[in-house]
Amino acid sequence: MISIKNSRELTAMREACIISARALQLAGKMVEPGVTTREIDREIRKYIESTGATPSFLNYGGFPASACISVNNEVIHGIPGKRVIKAGDIVSVDVGAFFEGYHGDNAATFGAGDISPEAQALMDATRESLYEGIKMAVPGNRIGDIGAAIQRYVEVRGYSVVRQFVGHGVGTNLHEDPSVPNFGTPGRGPRLLPGMTLAIEPMINAGGYEVSILKDEWTTVTKDGSLSAHFEHTVAITQDGPVILTRP
Ligand code: MG
């Protein structure tokens, strides 16, 4: 079942989304050569808890940290640890906060120091594809319109869309109906209605779309070792068009 929020509920959810967005912003500022992924995670947790919120991902399904931090060929669900970020790395941070009954969820990929033009182009295309998807998040459209727009944007640039993981509804639960694939057919899938809140999150690979999950049972990597980028916003569908709730 897809939950519909009224304007009071959306206003409450916006608070959780602002905390999530600020946590992501903080992470972005910390991505520098020499920092460990654990240090970034620790600051994220400290910030989220300082607001009275709780990190949505901590212990979710057994996940051991407050943020997923995925480097280079890691797509999503990287576990923060002692890995030291190096110049030229691209670092995807995915973070959510739970505040007064609602979750926010967002992600972005940041470059550490000088990154290659190829890595920059992948990040730019992934970020832009998210906005292409968000444009389609309007009442009357269908879920497939979002995915199709993302897929079209990245595939003409030679990139591929991860199939095994998709976006999702978000609200009182971190993951709710519907699934929001980053690929699809226009005009297919559930119809979008005002009050739906979706986490739209393209995961885009420079090479093929296949992924593998490492032995830690979380870290998801590209099968061919190519770079991957990830951008995500929590978006409300409203009569006046899409509203990005995870804006700081
Ligand atoms: Mg998400």
Side-chain angles (χ1 to χ4, degrees):
M1 210 200 64
I2 304 176
S3 71
I4 300 291
K5 286 116 194 139
N6 62 31
S7 63
R8 185 185 51 77
E9 291 167 323
L10 289 179
T11 302
M13 188 163 158
R14 167 83 174 126
E15 296 301 315
C17 288
I18 291 173
I19 296 165
S20 306
R22 289 185 179 151
L24 184 62
Q25 213 173 30
L26 168 80
K29 289 196 185 115
M30 284 189 75
V31 170
E32 290 287 348
V35 73
T36 67
T37 55
R38 180 177 286 135
E39 286 166 330
I40 298 172
D41 180 67
R42 196 179 294 142
E43 290 304 311
I44 285 173
R45 180 173 181 172
K46 207 188 286 175
Y47 168 69
I48 290 174
E49 291 181 343
S50 78
T51 67
T54 52
S56 298
F57 299 178
L58 187 61
N59 302 320
Y60 185 85
F63 190 76
S66 298
C68 298
I69 304 184
S70 311
V71 183
N72 295 337
N73 63 314
E74 296 173 352
V75 180
I76 49 166
H77 299 167
I79 301 174
K82 51 183 193 282
R83 180 172 186 158
V84 179
I85 291 170
K86 298 198 303 283
D89 283 348
I90 61 169
V91 181
S92 299
V93 179
D94 191 350
V95 58
F98 181 70
F99 186 69
E100 294 186 350
Y102 292 95
H103 292 275
D105 191 3
N106 61 178
T109 304
F110 305 98
D114 285 333
I115 62 170
S116 70
E118 293 76 18
Q120 187 65 55
L122 172 68
M123 286 167 50
D124 292 345
T126 305
R127 186 192 311 103
E128 282 312 306
S129 77
L130 169 58
Y131 291 106
E132 291 297 308
I134 290 171
K135 275 187 217 161
M136 304 307 282
V138 296
N141 270 0
R142 291 180 182 270
I143 286 289
D145 293 306
I146 296 173
I150 292 169
Q151 183 175 19
R152 196 180 320 118
Y153 189 86
V154 300
E155 286 186 349
V156 296
R157 287 162 176 80
Y159 303 124
S160 64
V161 176
V162 171
R163 303 294 200 274
Q164 202 174 323
F165 294 92
V166 297
H168 50 92
V170 54
T172 54
N173 294 297
L174 180 58
H175 293 105
E176 299 182 351
D177 287 341
S179 287
V180 185
N182 301 297
F183 54 92
T185 308
R188 295 285 178 84
R191 193 176 290 283
L192 303 179
L193 298 171
M196 289 181 180
T197 46
L198 306 177
I200 304 175
E201 51 173 324
M203 292 152 255
I204 306 301
N205 298 347
Y209 66 76
E210 297 92 345
V211 298
S212 319
I213 298 172
L214 300 185
K215 278 209 198 76
D216 63 19
E217 294 181 359
W218 285 104
T219 312
T220 301
V221 299
T222 56
K223 204 161 236 175
D224 59 13
S226 64
L227 292 177
S228 188
H230 181 205
F231 284 83
E232 175 182 33
H233 272 306
T234 297
V235 177
I237 291 157
T238 79
Q239 220 61 264
D240 304 321
V243 175
I244 297 176
L245 297 177
T246 40
R247 264 198 214 289

PDB file of all heavy atoms in Angstrom, residues 94 105 168 175 199 201 232, ligand 1:
ATOM      1  N   ASP A  94      25.313   7.779   1.786  1.00  0.00           N
ATOM      2  CA  ASP A  94      23.851   7.636   1.846  1.00  0.00           C
ATOM      3  C   ASP A  94      23.476   7.722   3.317  1.00  0.00           C
ATOM      4  O   ASP A  94      24.021   6.985   4.141  1.00  0.00           O
ATOM      5  CB  ASP A  94      23.471   6.267   1.252  1.00  0.00           C
ATOM      6  CG  ASP A  94      21.970   6.111   1.005  1.00  0.00           C
ATOM      7  OD1 ASP A  94      21.192   6.971   1.467  1.00  0.00           O
ATOM      8  OD2 ASP A  94      21.588   5.122   0.354  1.00  0.00           O
ATOM      9  N   ASP A 105      15.686  10.532   3.640  1.00  0.00           N
ATOM     10  CA  ASP A 105      16.699   9.649   3.046  1.00  0.00           C
ATOM     11  C   ASP A 105      17.330  10.388   1.871  1.00  0.00           C
ATOM     12  O   ASP A 105      16.598  10.873   0.996  1.00  0.00           O
ATOM     13  CB  ASP A 105      16.003   8.357   2.582  1.00  0.00           C
ATOM     14  CG  ASP A 105      16.964   7.252   2.183  1.00  0.00           C
ATOM     15  OD1 ASP A 105      18.196   7.434   2.306  1.00  0.00           O
ATOM     16  OD2 ASP A 105      16.471   6.187   1.739  1.00  0.00           O
ATOM     17  N   HIS A 168      12.438   3.901  -3.513  1.00  0.00           N
ATOM     18  CA  HIS A 168      11.350   3.365  -2.691  1.00  0.00           C
ATOM     19  C   HIS A 168      10.506   4.489  -2.116  1.00  0.00           C
ATOM     20  O   HIS A 168      10.966   5.637  -2.026  1.00  0.00           O
ATOM     21  CB  HIS A 168      11.963   2.552  -1.548  1.00  0.00           C
ATOM     22  CG  HIS A 168      13.048   3.294  -0.812  1.00  0.00           C
ATOM     23  ND1 HIS A 168      12.811   4.053   0.296  1.00  0.00           N
ATOM     24  CD2 HIS A 168      14.378   3.439  -1.080  1.00  0.00           C
ATOM     25  CE1 HIS A 168      13.944   4.603   0.707  1.00  0.00           C
ATOM     26  NE2 HIS A 168      14.919   4.262  -0.120  1.00  0.00           N
ATOM     27  N   HIS A 175      11.644   2.185   4.285  1.00  0.00           N
ATOM     28  CA  HIS A 175      11.344   1.616   2.967  1.00  0.00           C
ATOM     29  C   HIS A 175       9.876   1.247   2.917  1.00  0.00           C
ATOM     30  O   HIS A 175       9.412   0.412   3.687  1.00  0.00           O
ATOM     31  CB  HIS A 175      12.211   0.384   2.683  1.00  0.00           C
ATOM     32  CG  HIS A 175      13.661   0.721   2.544  1.00  0.00           C
ATOM     33  ND1 HIS A 175      14.594   0.457   3.512  1.00  0.00           N
ATOM     34  CD2 HIS A 175      14.342   1.328   1.538  1.00  0.00           C
ATOM     35  CE1 HIS A 175      15.789   0.878   3.114  1.00  0.00           C
ATOM     36  NE2 HIS A 175      15.663   1.421   1.923  1.00  0.00           N
ATOM     37  N   ALA A 199      11.708   8.144  -2.310  1.00  0.00           N
ATOM     38  CA  ALA A 199      13.165   8.285  -2.344  1.00  0.00           C
ATOM     39  C   ALA A 199      13.601   7.846  -3.743  1.00  0.00           C
ATOM     40  O   ALA A 199      13.526   6.663  -4.081  1.00  0.00           O
ATOM     41  CB  ALA A 199      13.816   7.422  -1.279  1.00  0.00           C
ATOM     42  N   GLU A 201      16.570   7.458  -6.345  1.00  0.00           N
ATOM     43  CA  GLU A 201      18.001   7.302  -6.084  1.00  0.00           C
ATOM     44  C   GLU A 201      18.759   6.537  -7.169  1.00  0.00           C
ATOM     45  O   GLU A 201      19.102   5.368  -6.989  1.00  0.00           O
ATOM     46  CB  GLU A 201      18.225   6.640  -4.722  1.00  0.00           C
ATOM     47  CG  GLU A 201      17.466   5.372  -4.443  1.00  0.00           C
ATOM     48  CD  GLU A 201      17.921   4.743  -3.103  1.00  0.00           C
ATOM     49  OE1 GLU A 201      19.119   4.820  -2.785  1.00  0.00           O
ATOM     50  OE2 GLU A 201      17.078   4.169  -2.406  1.00  0.00           O
ATOM     51  N   GLU A 232      20.556  10.797  -4.369  1.00  0.00           N
ATOM     52  CA  GLU A 232      19.201  10.500  -3.892  1.00  0.00           C
ATOM     53  C   GLU A 232      18.588  11.711  -3.204  1.00  0.00           C
ATOM     54  O   GLU A 232      19.271  12.417  -2.458  1.00  0.00           O
ATOM     55  CB  GLU A 232      19.268   9.343  -2.877  1.00  0.00           C
ATOM     56  CG  GLU A 232      17.935   9.018  -2.203  1.00  0.00           C
ATOM     57  CD  GLU A 232      18.064   7.898  -1.174  1.00  0.00           C
ATOM     58  OE1 GLU A 232      19.124   7.789  -0.526  1.00  0.00           O
ATOM     59  OE2 GLU A 232      17.094   7.136  -1.023  1.00  0.00           O
TER      60      GLU A 232
HETATM   61 MG    MG B   1      17.061   5.159  -0.148  1.00  0.00          MG
END
